[in-house]
Amino acid sequence: MSEETYRNAKASIEDRVTDLLSRMTVEEKVGQMVQVRNAAEEHDSGVRAGHIGSCIIASGPFAGNERDEGVHIRRLTRLQKIAVEESRLGIPLIYARDVIHGYRTVFPIPLGQAATWNPELVRQGAEIAAREASSTGIHWTFTPMVEVGRDPRWGRIAEGFGEDPYLASRLTSAAVEGYQGDDMSQPDRLAACVKHYAGYSVPEGGREYNTVELGERTLRDVYLPPFKAAAKAGVATVMSSFNEIDGVPVSADRYLLTEVLKEEWDWDGFIISDYGIIATMCGAFGVAADLREAAAMCANAGLDMDMCASAYSQHLVSLVEDGTVSEAQVNSMVGRILRIKFRCGLFEHPYADENRAKKVILAPQHRAVARKAACESMVLLKNTGILPLASEGGTVLVTGPLARARGELYGTWNLDGQPGDVISIGEALTKKLGEDREVHLDNPAGMGGLSRILARQAEMVVACLGEGPWLSGEGNSIASLELPAGQLELVEALHELGKPVIAVVCAGRPLAIGRLCELADAVIYAWHPGVEAGQAVADVLLGTTNPGGRTPVTFPRSAGQVPTHYAHKPIHNDAWFGSDRANHYRDQLATPLFPFGFGLDYTSYRYTNLRISPERASMDGSVSISVDVENVGSRTGSEVAQLYVRDVLATVTRPLKELKAFEKIALKAGEKKTVTFTLSGGDLTYTGRDMRPTVEPGEFKVWVGPNAAEGIEGTFELAG
Ligand code: BGC
């Protein structure tokens, strides 16, 4: 008998999908749409019967906040063997895990990675995570989280690429490419999953899971672009979000799931629900009478796989039988899941090779990339000249609640990194700086009796401040953006002693650190830097490398300014308030503490000679914008040249500035380079009054500079 087409690796994937679908019963089809938790023995019979298509390896619904027992390759292989060898059609399971910013080699949190403005580094980080995780039998990761984050109270801002749709889109494409490569069937790749589609990052009050009110135009122009970039990059899967928008739960919204994502964007992967959300339709949301109605609603909306709500497993077969959900609808959804399983090469290599894990996990070359990423993520917010630290001089005291921290420096969503793999900031500084200078490492309690004596003796103090991982990530929103209790007091006390303070802030969000910036002589914002945290901070403080980061989020002065971002819209009485909008509050400046894109360096840069050509372009032509960037300091550095545009006259209000391009350039002392950006009509498109992509003739203002608040200005015109 000739081999079935679906088993033939040489047949086209579409032929294999069609062939396999034609052999499946409704029960088997629905089985592919069911994801259960962990690869446990309780699932053996379901897998054997073809009633389970996927497992998430996780502790439960709050996996990001708790440790689990890790991935056991043999357990995965045992259950996979049942799927492949004992089920009727032998369809392999697809194993998923939240490998969010690295597997065992933990990279900076995604917000920190965004601060690198280095898509290639983000790509490499994802590639390494894929190599390590896939070696343990995982096929699919629930990342990147690509939601634009403009509310630092929201704990999950840590998991995204910041406030700007363009930067987030560039980094999203890079991450997807890193996980999946050109060919997802290679055993060292993972299927990626962009999440949480959509609007989840705009909860009222910044409170996790909260209600979202969001106009469609803003959704399309600000929040959807990274998802669209991922679809274009061929992302395998998308996760539908927990939230509603304007009363409609996204996970039951046919318009967003099917009409926009699958049809308008012509995307052929599959959608997985977020954990248990289908059950919320008949639970908290009250839009379905029971789980059966919830299952029907979500299936008809185009939600392809049910993560752990048991809604599809319990009800979808009978919903097909009574015609509430058509078999054609199920076929189209299952076809998408099978397509990704074929693309992942699961039928050809369903099992992981145990020996590979030993070779790749925490490989020295992986740590080297993590160190580079951590160094490039660190944003120097203030420097009176105390940094880089001189290798000679008096005693340095390293203090503060995070001076000896290890595992805390991984930040949120660390399932597989081990605290013992991290060298603390205090230890790394003691080792590196301690060769030439005396370094005292304080006890974790901070300004205890001993510290006060040590502080008096010290010439200067490195204060390691910030948030532990439990203050950011899922379910971890905060109302105040101040440093946690006691930290500012520590710095005030050191200041009173007359000691220069270098503050290293590790956090999952931009905190309101105005007072700290007044008191400290230097402030390095290190986010949560990952496995190379200590060495990277030491590299940056000693000037072995420049702090390469530029902030991917606006720093607010207080929580009262939230939402904070640079891409404001023009408003009534702008002229009265002043163009910098500094006066919009009576009790505080309305300008940010630090603008989007900001970051100092140990050298400085000058922008000159803006050239725009042609100054009048046709609608289908392009405009070239060049500027000279010169390193006018005395050290090598790398600058991120940023191009912002304003569409001066449009049929709807447009932001005062929008990032349209950037380039990170390395410059030696005294070196000058020309940076050239090209813009075409497609780059200037927005959602018009008719909700369709629009680009209109007229004047465009342009700024090229080091951040969203500075730059040389010019204009060009698109001729109609
Ligand atoms: C989170 C997702 C995550 C999923 C699986 C949910 O609670 O919102 O981001 O991927 O759990 O762990």
Side-chain angles (χ1 to χ4, degrees):
M1 206 179 79
S2 68
E3 188 187 43
E4 299 102 323
T5 306
Y6 80 91
R7 292 191 186 276
N8 178 0
K10 296 210 178 75
S12 79
I13 286 182
E14 294 314 305
D15 286 350
R16 295 176 81 181
V17 170
T18 310
D19 177 60
L20 182 49
L21 266 178
S22 73
R23 297 170 190 273
M24 293 168 81
T25 62
V26 174
E27 285 79 3
E28 285 164 339
K29 288 175 186 171
V30 169
Q32 289 304 306
M33 302 166 77
V34 171
Q35 183 176 73
V36 297
R37 181 152 62 84
N38 290 334
E41 280 166 18
E42 64 186 283
H43 303 310
D44 288 6
S45 57
V47 169
R48 196 171 288 116
H51 292 168
I52 293 172
S54 174
C55 305
I56 173 177
I57 310 303
S59 59
F62 302 107
N65 288 311
E66 49 201 26
R67 299 292 290 181
D68 62 12
E69 45 178 23
V71 183
H72 290 271
I73 188 167
R74 291 191 182 163
R75 286 187 204 163
L76 303 195
T77 304
R78 190 195 66 80
L79 195 64
Q80 185 72 304
K81 272 193 188 289
I82 297 179
V84 172
E85 294 168 20
E86 298 177 33
S87 76
R88 190 176 74 88
L89 294 164
I91 307 174
L93 297 161
I94 181 163
Y95 286 129
R97 187 164 174 81
D98 292 285
V99 181
I100 305 294
H101 48 113
Y103 185 71
R104 178 82 178 263
T105 303
V106 181
F107 283 76
I109 53 168
L111 192 58
Q113 291 188 46
T116 69
W117 292 61
N118 187 338
E120 172 52 19
L121 206 44
V122 170
R123 190 197 65 75
Q124 285 176 26
E127 184 170 57
I128 287 168
R131 194 177 299 141
E132 293 192 5
S134 62
S135 76
T136 69
I138 298 298
H139 308 121
W140 178 21
T141 176
F142 293 135
T143 199
M145 192 205 87
V146 304
E147 286 159 85
V148 165
R150 296 181 166 185
D151 187 338
R153 295 170 302 180
W154 185 54
R156 304 197 82 168
I157 198 171
E159 295 175 48
F161 291 134
E163 75 178 48
D164 182 72
Y166 176 78
L167 176 62
S169 298
R170 289 272 305 266
L171 301 180
T172 296
S173 308
V176 170
E177 198 190 322
Y179 289 115
Q180 299 188 170
D182 297 339
D183 176 4
M184 234 165 36
S185 74
Q186 295 303 309
D188 59 354
R189 296 294 179 172
L190 294 178
C193 179
V194 283
K195 67 188 190 184
H196 309 82
Y197 181 86
Y200 178 58
S201 60
V202 206
E204 277 182 4
R207 295 193 292 281
E208 182 70 313
Y209 311 132
N210 210 2
T211 309
V212 173
E213 294 294 335
L214 188 56
E216 182 173 347
R217 185 171 296 101
T218 306
L219 178 69
R220 283 182 174 270
D221 287 346
V222 178
Y223 296 94
L224 292 191
F227 290 97
K228 199 169 177 186
K232 198 165 165 220
V235 72
T237 68
V238 171
M239 187 183 292
S240 72
S241 53
F242 285 137
N243 59 290
E244 60 152 88
I245 301 180
D246 192 22
V248 180
V250 174
S251 293
D253 185 3
R254 186 170 170 86
Y255 175 65
L256 281 181
L257 301 191
T258 297
E259 291 173 34
V260 175
L261 175 56
K262 294 180 179 176
E263 293 171 2
E264 189 182 313
W265 297 354
D266 196 21
W267 174 72
D268 68 1
F270 74 86
I271 306 175
I272 174 145
S273 77
D274 204 344
Y275 206 108
I277 185 63
I278 301 182
T280 303
M281 303 301 147
C282 56
F285 283 162
V287 294
D290 51 28
L291 194 60
R292 181 182 161 81
E293 194 179 329
M297 201 175 252
C298 294
N300 281 328
L303 182 51
D304 304 305
M305 190 182 278
D306 171 4
M307 186 196 290
C308 300
S310 304
Y312 287 180
S313 58
Q314 288 182 36
H315 299 292
L316 202 44
V317 173
S318 83
L319 286 164
V320 173
E321 279 163 4
D322 73 11
T324 311
V325 177
S326 70
E327 192 162 353
Q329 172 72 0
V330 166
N331 285 347
S332 116
M333 297 197 284
V334 177
R336 288 171 176 271
I337 295 168
L338 296 176
R339 180 180 296 131
I340 296 305
K341 287 194 169 182
F342 284 119
R343 276 192 195 150
C344 285
L346 289 177
F347 288 76
E348 285 67 52
H349 43 79
Y351 312 115
D353 165 8
E354 282 200 40
N355 294 321
R356 195 162 67 84
K358 293 189 197 107
K359 291 189 204 131
V360 301
I361 285 178
L362 211 63
Q365 59 274 33
H366 293 181
R367 290 193 73 132
V369 181
R371 183 155 172 177
K372 184 167 159 54
C375 289
E376 284 199 31
S377 76
M378 290 182 194
V379 184
L380 180 63
L381 292 174
K382 178 180 178 184
N383 188 12
T384 54
I386 195 168
L387 291 178
L389 281 173
S391 57
E392 283 167 13
T395 305
V396 177
L397 172 65
V398 185
T399 188
L402 295 178
R404 290 174 187 264
R406 292 166 180 265
E408 291 92 331
L409 302 183
Y410 286 138
T412 184
W413 275 117
N414 165 46
L415 304 191
D416 298 288
Q418 303 298 325
D421 296 338
V422 185
I423 296 179
S424 72
I425 298 172
E427 288 161 317
L429 278 174
T430 308
K431 191 154 182 268
K432 205 160 172 182
L433 189 59
E435 287 168 13
D436 306 298
R437 291 178 77 158
E438 195 163 344
V439 179
H440 286 156
L441 179 51
D442 198 1
N443 64 34
M447 294 297 283
L450 177 66
S451 335
R452 219 166 255 284
I453 295 168
L454 289 177
R456 283 214 177 85
Q457 290 166 352
E459 184 187 314
M460 60 179 70
V461 181
V462 175
C464 303
L465 311 171
E467 303 176 319
W470 49 88
L471 285 177
S472 60
E474 186 175 358
N476 298 329
S477 294
I478 58 174
S480 159
L481 293 174
E482 304 296 319
L483 283 166
Q487 298 193 12
L488 205 51
E489 290 78 349
L490 168 69
V491 178
E492 299 267 11
L494 291 165
H495 189 69
E496 268 167 31
L497 289 176
K499 300 297 169 183
V501 174
I502 297 156
V504 178
V505 184
C506 298
R509 58 167 58 78
L511 291 167
I513 49 167
R515 179 68 183 145
L516 174 71
C517 290
E518 284 169 17
L519 295 171
D521 290 80
V523 178
I524 291 271
Y525 216 80
W527 316 103
H528 283 129
V531 70
E532 288 290 323
Q535 292 94 325
V537 169
D539 285 348
V540 166
L541 293 189
L542 271 77
T544 317
T545 177
N546 259 307
R550 304 290 184 263
T551 179
V553 275
T554 299
F555 273 76
R557 292 177 193 275
S558 70
Q561 285 188 324
V562 170
T564 34
H565 62 99
Y566 75 91
H568 301 287
K569 295 288 204 67
I571 53 171
H572 174 63
N573 269 343
D574 233 1
W576 183 52
F577 280 120
S579 58
D580 64 358
R581 301 181 172 211
N583 305 322
H584 277 218
Y585 296 117
R586 285 282 169 247
D587 59 345
Q588 186 178 67
L589 288 173
T591 50
L593 185 60
F594 296 105
F596 173 78
F598 178 83
L600 301 169
D601 216 318
Y602 293 150
T603 185
S604 49
Y605 306 95
R606 184 163 55 214
Y607 287 72
T608 52
N609 200 14
L610 179 69
R611 284 146 285 164
I612 302 182
S613 165
E615 287 181 350
R616 194 156 195 272
S618 63
M619 295 289 283
D620 53 5
S622 61
V623 180
S624 156
I625 298 155
S626 305
V627 77
D628 296 338
V629 186
E630 187 179 358
N631 180 342
V632 291
S634 54
R635 299 171 69 100
T636 296
S638 58
E639 170 67 332
V640 180
Q642 302 162 34
L643 168 70
Y644 295 88
V645 167
R646 176 177 181 192
D647 186 348
V648 177
L649 181 65
T651 46
V652 297
T653 59
R654 302 287 299 125
L656 293 172
K657 274 185 182 175
E658 286 178 290
L659 182 73
K660 290 292 175 188
F662 64 85
E663 195 174 324
K664 192 165 190 172
I665 36 167
L667 289 166
K668 298 199 186 81
E671 194 180 4
K672 190 195 298 190
K673 278 185 187 162
T674 299
V675 182
T676 302
F677 302 109
T678 306
L679 286 180
S680 63
D683 301 310
L684 303 168
T685 304
Y686 66 93
T687 303
R689 282 198 87 123
D690 57 0
M691 287 297 163
R692 302 186 68 77
T694 308
V695 55
E696 290 163 328
E699 184 191 344
F700 290 82
K701 277 196 174 156
V702 167
W703 296 261
V704 184
N707 59 61
E710 295 174 69
I712 334 180
E713 191 177 325
T715 57
F716 68 86
E717 197 185 320
L718 276 190

